[in-house]
Amino acid sequence: MSVIVSQTLPFSNSDLDLDNPERWAKLFPLIRPSVASVPSTNGLPIIVDRAVAKTKHVRIAAIATTGNFSSRLLSAKGVAAFATEPSRLDKEHISAEDVANALKSHDVDYSTGLVVIRVGRGWKMKMHDESIVDLEVDGELELDHVVALLAITNEDTKASLSKVRELLELFLDGVSTTTTAFDLEKTGANPSVIHAGSSASFESAKMAIEKDLIYALRPHPTNNAVVYSVHYSDINGFARLENYLLAHEISLYLEERKLPSHITSSTILNKAQAARGWSISICPIPTTYLSPQSKPPNVLHTRNPAPSAPTADTPSSEAQEGHDPIKDFNDGPIRTRVIAGCEALIKEEPAITKCDEIVGDGDCGHTLRDGAKQVLSFIPTHPLSLTHLPRTLNLLVSTLSQTMGGTSGAIYCIFLSSLSHHLSATPPPPFPTALARSLDQLLQYTQARLGDRTMLDCLIPFVETLEKTGDANEAFRRAREGLEGTKKMVAKVGRSSYLDEESTRGVPDPGAWGLLILLEGMVG
């Protein structure tokens, strides 16, 4: 995946005018009609959300730093009020009493209690009276983490100010944070990142995030009675798939170490510097306050699926346990298949590129070609037998994440990373089962589904048919049908979704075409 180290903003800082708190007072009511602006005693606007008046929870208010604004405050529906104030020196510009009065002015009851969380110059908590808690944290990351934690804690805690105070005290005592930001300078041929005050070469997102998690988890000994509340924030705006990659690597790391967790996220805009990056905040929370994040059910491959039971003609995956359509998992046959697929993809690049120039950005063929070339240069020095395949795939993903850009690069990296994870199980599942589980995991990180005119219209029928029948040739036939179907589909996601239907009719999806060529070479 190509790395963009600094912000790419379509507007200048003066156009955005993020230092002006009045902007949110004017704009946010247009986004969410349930909010209203109330001036504080110093004239700074406080945004009150009247929609929370119906709940019996402790009211939450957040006060961020002017200019360093977070998506969490815009999206969190449980926040009763929020505001921004200039960076604090010796005084607060908006008091807890200001917030309480603003809630009163719009009949938002806070008799259950009110917690005001603000960015300050350290960590401290104080009571203004028996019903108002004023919590000061060190930065926007910690502010977002507290707001997220109070949204996911159990209902008993949300309805009790004393329990909320206990939870906040645990947070103050146990939270640890880490930040990685891209540097404009390079380290050798690679981008450079700044972590824990020192500069290092950026090898891959997986390696960088693992380093962050090791650092953030260091103060926390393993404890079976806690759930790890993990909040990550991308800094200065990652693409959605880049965010999904962050979440994917964090969840895999915790899952592999059997650490129960609940992961939340936000985006933070940092006006002080344009560098992009991410921050991670981790705090162990007793299970009396927080439950582990439940795994989603099997991801629906289609938008309107119809459940079906296995029949005599379509054996279930359980019936196929131990059956594998790829009979030989020795190094030689696997290597032959991979080389054939990559060479076929490189040969087809001009046609895929021409197709993508019609319905996309014109870069899909180049992305797939570059990825295929990278694979061909990678495999001569790495073993490909089943025993070594999980490790080799893991290393390959680290390499591809730097060379394959765009959506295709991210999707291939997520899928191969998941495949590496599932094949490393003891004993490993049948290969079609590992592919199906990897597909399920991939679909947690993209909104695209079967029928949306994407590469998934080729991948889903191939994987499903292979798992169901064990016949690689039949799976390839269904994948080809999926590609042909994209010629008639209306794109719902991606670049093609912005084009008129007439522009894409009769033209196959380039990503699906590239995947089919790869599969054709590998299936033979």
Side-chain angles (χ1 to χ4, degrees):
M1 185 170 59
S2 300
V3 176
I4 301 174
V5 300
S6 60
Q7 284 176 289
T8 52
L9 294 176
F11 303 102
S12 66
N13 287 333
S14 60
D15 289 334
L16 291 172
D17 196 18
L18 295 175
D19 289 335
N20 180 8
E22 292 291 340
R23 279 187 67 79
W24 301 110
K26 295 175 182 177
L27 293 177
F28 201 47
L30 300 177
I31 302 172
R32 190 180 298 174
S34 63
V35 305
S37 176
V38 180
S40 69
T41 53
N42 283 328
L44 294 174
I46 301 172
I47 307 299
V48 175
D49 190 348
R50 293 163 291 193
V52 303
K54 299 175 183 178
T55 70
K56 301 298 183 183
H57 297 159
V58 172
R59 305 302 181 205
I60 309 299
I63 303 176
T65 305
T66 301
N68 289 357
F69 210 67
S70 163
S71 65
R72 172 62 56 174
L73 301 187
L74 294 176
S75 61
K77 296 182 179 180
V79 175
F82 78 84
T84 61
E85 62 180 5
S87 182
R88 296 179 60 191
L89 295 176
D90 298 320
K91 66 175 183 177
E92 59 188 27
H93 299 270
I94 299 175
S95 67
E97 288 79 5
D98 285 332
V99 175
N101 290 333
L103 295 177
K104 286 180 182 178
S105 70
H106 283 279
D107 298 323
V108 178
D109 176 52
Y110 64 90
S111 59
T112 308
L114 170 64
V115 176
V116 179
I117 313 153
R118 66 177 77 244
V119 176
R121 299 183 62 189
W123 299 84
K124 57 185 177 183
M125 184 167 59
K126 58 184 179 181
M127 295 289 297
H128 285 275
D129 57 41
E130 292 185 358
S131 63
I132 301 177
V133 175
D134 199 338
L135 175 67
E136 189 170 314
V137 297
D138 208 30
E140 262 69 27
L141 172 67
E142 294 84 353
L143 173 69
D144 283 3
H145 193 172
V146 173
V147 171
L149 177 59
L150 293 177
I152 61 177
T153 188
N154 60 46
E155 289 295 316
D156 288 344
T157 302
K158 290 179 182 179
S160 167
L161 184 62
S162 62
K163 290 184 178 180
V164 168
R165 281 191 61 191
E166 292 170 0
L167 178 59
L168 295 177
E169 287 170 353
L170 290 167
F171 183 86
L172 292 179
D173 290 340
V175 69
S176 56
T177 64
T178 179
T179 296
T180 292
F182 287 104
D183 195 354
L184 294 179
E185 301 296 328
K186 283 190 172 183
T187 303
N190 293 333
S192 180
V193 290
I194 299 174
H195 169 82
S198 61
S199 181
S201 173
F202 178 78
E203 303 293 339
S204 69
K206 181 181 183 68
M207 294 174 65
I209 292 169
E210 183 172 315
K211 183 178 179 181
D212 281 330
L213 292 172
I214 291 172
Y215 180 86
L217 285 167
R218 186 175 52 184
H220 308 304
T222 303
N223 185 341
N224 294 330
V226 302
V227 173
Y228 289 88
S229 174
V230 181
H231 186 88
Y232 73 90
S233 295
D234 79 84
I235 302 171
N236 291 333
F238 278 8
R240 179 173 292 180
L241 267 172
E242 291 174 316
N243 264 295
Y244 290 160
L245 279 172
L246 280 176
H248 176 69
E249 296 298 347
I250 292 171
S251 62
L252 271 186
Y253 182 91
L254 297 170
E255 181 180 339
E256 287 170 356
R257 286 151 184 81
K258 295 181 171 55
L259 299 177
S261 64
H262 203 122
I263 302 174
T264 53
S265 66
S266 62
T267 295
I268 294 175
L269 190 61
N270 187 343
K271 68 170 184 177
Q273 59 182 32
R276 302 165 83 232
W278 63 83
S279 294
I280 300 175
S281 175
I282 297 179
C283 186
I285 301 296
T287 53
T288 52
Y289 298 97
L290 184 64
S291 299
Q293 210 158 17
S294 57
K295 288 188 177 182
N298 290 336
V299 181
L300 300 178
H301 294 184
T302 56
R303 291 196 178 276
N304 298 297
S308 59
T311 66
D313 296 326
T314 58
S316 68
S317 59
E318 289 84 357
Q320 298 181 74
E321 201 69 30
H323 171 66
D324 208 317
I326 300 180
K327 302 289 190 297
D328 194 344
F329 267 107
N330 293 324
D331 185 290
I334 294 179
R335 191 173 299 273
T336 299
R337 290 174 181 272
V338 172
I339 291 174
C342 289
E343 288 180 344
L345 192 53
I346 293 170
K347 183 178 179 180
E348 199 72 12
E349 176 270 317
I352 297 172
T353 296
K354 186 174 181 180
C355 172
D356 196 39
E357 287 173 349
I358 299 173
V359 299
D361 294 324
D363 62 347
C364 182
H366 297 147
T367 296
L368 297 177
R369 177 203 62 194
D370 292 347
K373 287 183 175 180
Q374 187 65 49
V375 172
L376 291 178
S377 66
F378 175 87
I379 61 174
T381 57
H382 293 84
L384 297 181
S385 63
L386 180 59
T387 304
H388 298 97
L389 196 56
R391 166 76 174 162
T392 298
L393 283 174
N394 197 22
L395 293 172
L396 177 61
V397 168
S398 296
T399 301
L400 290 179
S401 66
Q402 299 179 56
T403 57
M404 285 189 75
T407 303
S408 294
I411 288 177
Y412 276 97
C413 286
I414 291 175
F415 186 80
L416 292 176
S417 177
S418 298
L419 183 59
S420 168
H421 172 69
H422 292 301
L423 287 176
S424 65
T426 305
F431 194 71
T433 302
L435 289 175
R437 292 173 182 173
S438 301
L439 175 61
D440 282 345
Q441 197 148 19
L442 170 65
L443 291 175
Q444 296 177 34
Y445 300 100
T446 174
Q447 293 181 344
R449 293 294 183 268
L450 195 66
D452 284 349
R453 190 185 160 85
T454 70
M455 64 184 293
L456 294 180
D457 289 299
C458 177
L459 180 62
I460 289 174
F462 179 84
V463 172
E464 287 186 338
T465 304
L466 189 65
E467 185 189 27
K468 184 180 293 185
T469 68
D471 187 336
N473 291 318
E474 175 63 15
F476 176 74
R477 187 183 70 80
R478 294 296 301 274
R480 182 182 289 279
E481 290 177 356
L483 170 66
E484 289 298 317
T486 63
K487 296 179 181 180
K488 305 173 185 178
M489 294 176 186
V490 177
K492 297 185 177 70
V493 297
R495 174 68 177 81
S496 297
S497 63
Y498 297 100
L499 300 178
D500 184 83
E501 182 180 348
E502 294 296 325
S503 302
T504 61
R505 182 171 295 153
V507 182
D509 177 73
W513 187 1
L515 177 59
L516 187 77
I517 296 300
L518 179 65
L519 293 173
E520 184 176 27
M522 296 182 73
V523 171

